[in-house]
């Protein structure tokens, strides 16, 4: 108790429930970073202090809870609960969020920025539903690393496997957090196997649990063989206390547990499942941490890892394969467009990841795609639905350009020295539908809504080759169509009918090939917004038939 009082923490705050605290009880505190002493200054120095990452997880695995605890540990909120409270308020103030509330899902991404250990952390939220995998993929284009949160009881679930696959496909460094270890769950070794087999990422545990899920005793930090005892705190509204001792001490406390754990650790060593910075940065292995976000246990371990091992922003390759230096003039690309965040204004915010230079509000930048100049008078950062103006930003930061109606996903912006970043690839859609305006008097609004939502990436939009081209919308998941239809009716006041199409597969083609195809049965030829020809097939049967009949045709699958 003396220890607690010295640190000015009341016992009921800490809610210690299982035994007397050990000698080394400490409270997680912001500490100075020695590494900063040798950091470069200027833009390079600012970039080195940044960590830009996303959390990806199945719905309910604990993403919101972990986010909230990150804010608690960074001192951003005094008590956990703020994020959910904001989320609740948001639902009240925005009619667009009705849909999220009805479906109990998160559609829109938010960007949080906070300081931790003298670093600037940018946390980009991602939708946790497989139907919005494409949105997740775009967010992943804007981050330097990601945390994958898994519920220990559920592991990797089939319906959200796609989210993790896209993450692994981008080869960005992924940290794994096995959450809810305070509750019964799967065997941890089984989970490691699942991660490796299903997403092809090799887990390298940094912390390792003592006791099975539901009988959580603490973790071993494999970097220094210390044992951090699990101390329950009531719903973890305050930072957790940590009781640290040597792993060898466990031998006296619980010889059986010690031996079991030692055997597991020996197994990990034997199979080489040990943290390796190089393969982590290459997106081949994933450092793994175990904890319970609800009770705060393990939160600091993973947040520290973001600072200590996750990469800072690095120079980005442009379309020519040249790397633009961090210290070059400002440049960035649009990875997300969000409309109607403020229902009273019906506005349109383009989120830009800064890749180089120092951004200053008010500067005039060039929009590469149109070569038009763009004045950056209104620039916002977003926390839930709250906004504040951004004046300055550095590589790794995200800026929200308000009313940037001409910008599309993947577009590049720059100051002074031109640059264009590679486009963010579209997903191979799995669903196709025709779409008709229910009210012919609303045709203008219907067209406007279609185009805007295609630019925002809510759906993919094609047109057939009829004299008056009919729109065909495509998506990865059904819910994208629901969002599309809801927004057309509510935002654009143009209710639509969505009619499922008989086409199931899509291949990229060219003019010469589609001329040969002509009116072949089982296929439909469409064009995307860039004028690229695409061929839709009713089934695998028709695709195989056409490929056999016309082997010379260009029929490329979309890769993602
Ligand atoms: P999500 O954003 O990934 O969808 O998940 P979220 O954080 O909302 O967590 C989903 C549920 O899991 C919540 O319970 C949350 O309290 C619980 N949870 C999160 N982390 C842990 C953990 O480490 N241990 C345990 N036992 N539970 C955890 P809920 O009942 O849906 O909401 P609430 O009433 O607790 O707010």
């Amino acid at each position: 108790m003396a220890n607690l009082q010295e640190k000015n923490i009341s016992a009921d705050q800490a809610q210690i429930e299982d035994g007397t605290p050990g000698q080394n009880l400490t409270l997680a505190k912001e500490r100075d970073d020695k590494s900063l002493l040798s950091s470069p200054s200027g833009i390079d120095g600012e970039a080195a202090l940044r960590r830009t990452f996303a959390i990806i997880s199945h719905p309910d695995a604990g993403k919101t809870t972990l986010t909230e605890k990150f804010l608690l540990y960074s001192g951003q909120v005094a008590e956990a609960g703020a994020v959910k409270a904001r989320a609740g308020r948001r639902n009240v103030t925005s009619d667009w969020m009705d849909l999220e509330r009805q479906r109990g899902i998160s559609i829109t991404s938010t960007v949080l920025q906070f300081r931790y250990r003298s670093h600037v952390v940018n946390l980009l939220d991602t939708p946790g539903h497989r139907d919005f995998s494409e949105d997740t993929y775009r967010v992943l284009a804007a981050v330097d690393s990601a945390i994958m949160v898994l519920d220990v009881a559920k592991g990797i679930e089939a319906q959200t496997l796609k989210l993790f696959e896209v993450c692994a496909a981008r080869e960005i460094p992924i940290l794994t957090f096995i959450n809810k270890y305070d509750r019964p769950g799967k065997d941890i070794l089984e989970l490691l196997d699942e991660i490796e087999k299903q997403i092809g990422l090799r887990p390298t545990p940094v912390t390792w649990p003592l006791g099975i899920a539901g009988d959580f005793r603490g973790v071993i930090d494999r970097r220094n063989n210390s044992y951090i005892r699990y101390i329950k705190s009531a719903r973890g509204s305050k930072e957790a206390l940590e009781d640290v001792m040597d792993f060898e001490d466990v031998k006296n406390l619980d010889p059986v547990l010690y031996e079991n754990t030692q055997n597991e650790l020996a197994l990990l060593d034997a199979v080489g499942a040990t943290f390796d910075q190089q393969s982590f940065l290459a997106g081949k292995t994933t450092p793994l941490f175990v904890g319970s976000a609800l009770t705060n246990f393990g939160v600091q371990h993973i947040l520290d890892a973001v600072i200590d091992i996750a990469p800072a922003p690095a120079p980005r390759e442009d379309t020519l394969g040249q790397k633009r230096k961090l210290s070059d003039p400002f440049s960035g690309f649009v990875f997300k467009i969000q409309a109607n965040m403020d229902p009273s204004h019906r506005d349109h915010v383009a989120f830009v990841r800064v890749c180089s230079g120092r951004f200053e509000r008010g500067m005039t930048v060039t929009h590469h795609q149109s070569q038009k100049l763009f004045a950056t008078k209104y620039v916002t950062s977003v926390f839930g639905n709250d906004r504040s103006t951004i004046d300055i930003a550095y590589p790794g930061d995200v800026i929200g350009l308000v009313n940037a109606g001409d910008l599309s996903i993947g577009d590049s912006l720059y100051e002074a020295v031109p640059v264009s970043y590679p486009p963010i690839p579209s997903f191979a859609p799995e669903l196709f539908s025709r779409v008709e305006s229910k009210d012919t008097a609303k045709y203008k609004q219907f067209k406007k809504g279609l185009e805007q939502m295609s630019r925002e990436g809510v759906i993919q939009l094609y047109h057939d080759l009829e004299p008056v081209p009919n729109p065909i919308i495509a998506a990865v998941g059904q819910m994208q169509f629901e969002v599309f239809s809801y927004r057309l009716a509510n935002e654009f006041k143009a209710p639509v009918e969505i009619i499922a199409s008989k086409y199931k597969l899509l291949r990229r083609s060219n003019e010469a090939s589609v001329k040969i195809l002509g009116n072949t049965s089982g296929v439909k030829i469409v064009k995307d917004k860039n004028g690229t020809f695409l061929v839709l097939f009713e089934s695998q049967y028709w695709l195989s038939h056409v490929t056999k009949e016309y082997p010379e045709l260009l029929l490329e699958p979309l890769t993602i």
Side-chain angles (χ1 to χ4, degrees):
M1 184 57 71
N3 248 343
L4 292 175
Q5 276 163 357
E6 265 167 37
K7 291 178 188 298
N8 206 16
I9 298 161
S10 67
D12 60 355
Q13 247 181 343
Q15 289 274 333
I16 295 183
E17 292 177 12
D18 67 345
T20 319
Q23 290 303 305
N24 307 315
L25 198 65
T26 55
L27 178 65
K29 276 257 171 269
E30 177 161 326
R31 54 187 159 87
D32 286 336
D33 238 285
K34 302 267 183 304
S35 61
L36 296 182
L37 296 174
S38 57
S39 291
S41 56
I43 293 170
D44 283 324
E46 290 288 344
L49 291 180
R50 267 136 177 101
R51 295 291 181 277
T52 301
F53 73 104
I55 302 181
I56 48 165
S57 74
H58 309 282
D60 269 350
K63 185 174 62 176
T64 314
T65 311
L66 190 64
T67 303
E68 196 172 59
K69 299 308 167 80
F70 282 173
L71 296 178
L72 177 72
Y73 274 78
S74 64
Q76 192 80 11
V77 296
E79 279 198 28
V83 173
K84 285 202 170 165
R86 280 169 193 267
R89 212 167 60 220
R90 183 184 64 184
N91 286 340
V92 175
T93 55
S94 166
D95 57 3
W96 154 226
M97 301 299 162
D98 270 359
L99 191 65
E100 289 195 340
R101 207 169 29 130
Q102 285 162 17
R103 305 297 302 253
I105 50 164
S106 158
I107 296 168
T108 47
S109 298
T110 53
V111 185
L112 307 180
Q113 187 180 65
F114 56 88
R115 282 192 167 268
Y116 181 68
R117 282 178 44 195
S118 317
H119 286 69
V120 178
V121 180
N122 294 305
L123 170 51
L124 279 57
D125 193 11
T126 57
H129 196 285
R130 137 199 223 280
D131 281 14
F132 302 108
S133 306
E134 195 166 13
D135 197 23
T136 299
Y137 191 80
R138 293 186 203 116
V139 172
L140 293 174
V143 299
D144 301 309
S145 60
I147 295 180
M148 169 167 80
V149 179
L150 296 180
D151 179 334
V152 67
K154 302 208 172 125
I156 294 171
E157 293 164 84
Q159 72 270 28
T160 36
L161 176 62
K162 181 142 194 148
L163 283 178
F164 301 134
E165 281 174 345
V166 298
C167 201
R170 282 209 75 90
E171 295 190 339
I172 58 169
I174 301 173
L175 300 139
T176 299
F177 187 70
I178 304 289
N179 192 28
K180 305 197 188 182
Y181 211 79
D182 57 296
R183 289 212 309 218
K186 294 190 177 187
D187 178 84
I188 180 91
L189 284 167
E190 244 177 63
L191 261 181
L192 298 196
D193 211 38
E194 225 175 79
I195 297 170
E196 182 151 10
K197 288 217 172 96
Q198 299 212 33
I199 45 182
L201 260 181
R202 179 142 225 252
T204 56
V206 175
T207 65
W208 188 253
L210 272 90
I212 56 168
D215 181 22
F216 193 20
R217 310 290 185 83
V219 294
I220 301 295
D221 187 331
R222 290 178 73 212
R223 291 167 295 192
N224 55 18
N225 226 27
S226 62
Y227 165 48
I228 306 145
R229 203 162 64 95
Y230 172 55
I231 303 172
K232 280 189 208 158
S233 68
R235 292 192 68 85
S237 65
K238 299 279 177 190
E239 290 170 63
L241 295 160
E242 284 200 342
D243 189 6
V244 186
M245 57 184 99
D246 202 88
F247 177 43
E248 291 306 307
D249 296 338
V250 178
K251 208 189 275 182
N252 303 325
L253 295 173
D254 190 333
V256 177
L257 184 65
Y258 174 82
E259 202 180 321
N260 287 347
T261 312
Q262 212 185 29
N263 288 341
E264 289 168 351
L265 292 173
L267 182 72
L268 296 179
D269 289 342
V271 299
T274 302
F275 172 67
D276 168 57
Q277 183 80 16
Q278 216 177 345
S279 56
F280 160 58
L281 292 181
K284 307 281 180 232
T285 60
T286 176
L288 181 135
F289 298 79
V290 181
S292 154
L294 187 70
T295 59
N296 295 351
F297 192 83
V299 170
Q300 197 191 355
H301 306 153
I302 186 101
L303 186 53
D304 277 338
V306 169
I307 303 297
D308 294 329
I309 61 176
R316 282 230 163 198
E317 247 180 40
D318 63 16
T319 32
L320 304 172
Q322 311 277 332
K323 285 194 171 167
R324 182 154 170 125
K325 283 199 293 213
L326 294 170
S327 56
D328 279 349
F330 164 77
S331 70
F333 65 90
V334 179
F335 67 93
K336 173 152 189 85
I337 292 177
Q338 207 162 342
N340 194 15
M341 291 175 71
D342 182 348
S344 54
H345 292 107
R346 300 267 178 239
D347 61 357
H348 199 249
V349 181
F351 289 97
V352 175
R353 146 95 193 207
V354 179
C355 297
S356 69
R358 178 182 148 104
F359 171 83
E360 289 177 28
R361 186 164 67 88
M363 76 177 11
T364 301
V365 298
T366 304
H367 173 217
H368 167 76
Q369 276 67 15
S370 66
Q371 287 296 301
K372 280 190 195 157
L373 294 179
F374 187 92
T376 59
K377 193 167 166 201
Y378 300 106
V379 188
T380 176
S381 72
V382 177
F383 182 101
N385 204 37
D386 294 347
R387 295 186 186 184
S388 55
T389 300
I390 287 185
D391 288 315
I392 291 178
Y394 290 99
D397 290 342
V398 171
I399 53 176
L401 299 177
V402 182
N403 290 332
D406 290 342
L407 305 186
S408 298
I409 302 271
D411 286 2
S412 301
L413 297 164
Y414 59 81
E415 196 217 357
V417 185
V419 65
S420 83
Y421 290 104
I424 302 174
S426 292
F427 266 44
E430 293 166 23
L431 301 169
F432 304 89
S433 287
R434 285 193 298 120
V435 52
E436 283 172 10
S437 173
K438 278 188 185 163
D439 181 351
T440 40
K442 295 284 172 64
Y443 189 71
K444 233 170 123 182
Q445 290 93 318
F446 167 69
K447 252 192 106 196
K448 192 172 166 211
L450 261 181
E451 269 153 30
Q452 183 174 318
M453 271 184 273
S454 151
R455 240 195 342 260
E456 284 178 34
V458 176
I459 41 90
Q460 294 182 37
L461 176 63
Y462 311 125
H463 284 96
D464 63 19
L465 308 184
E466 301 299 319
V468 180
N470 298 303
I472 290 166
I473 55 172
V476 176
Q478 183 62 32
M479 249 193 253
Q480 282 178 263
F481 288 158
E482 288 177 31
V483 170
F484 167 81
S485 147
Y486 178 91
R487 284 188 55 191
L488 266 177
N490 289 275
E491 244 176 78
F492 295 89
K493 309 291 176 224
V496 289
E497 190 167 356
I498 293 182
I499 307 138
S501 138
K502 57 183 174 183
Y503 298 100
K504 305 271 181 294
L505 293 160
L506 175 87
R507 289 292 182 271
R508 195 182 294 120
S509 193
N510 59 16
E511 194 166 2
S513 299
V514 299
K515 261 193 191 144
I516 295 171
L517 269 177
N519 289 330
T520 313
S521 8
V523 306
K524 185 172 189 68
I525 297 158
V526 296
K527 267 185 177 182
D528 71 8
K529 59 177 190 254
N530 304 318
T532 306
F533 286 97
L534 299 148
V535 183
L536 295 171
F537 293 87
E538 277 182 28
S539 65
Q540 185 62 46
Y541 167 80
W542 287 109
L543 173 59
S544 310
H545 173 75
V546 167
T547 334
K548 221 164 114 199
E549 200 79 355
Y550 308 101
E552 72 280 17
L553 297 190
L554 175 79
L555 292 170
E556 263 179 355
L558 272 68
T559 46
I560 305 163

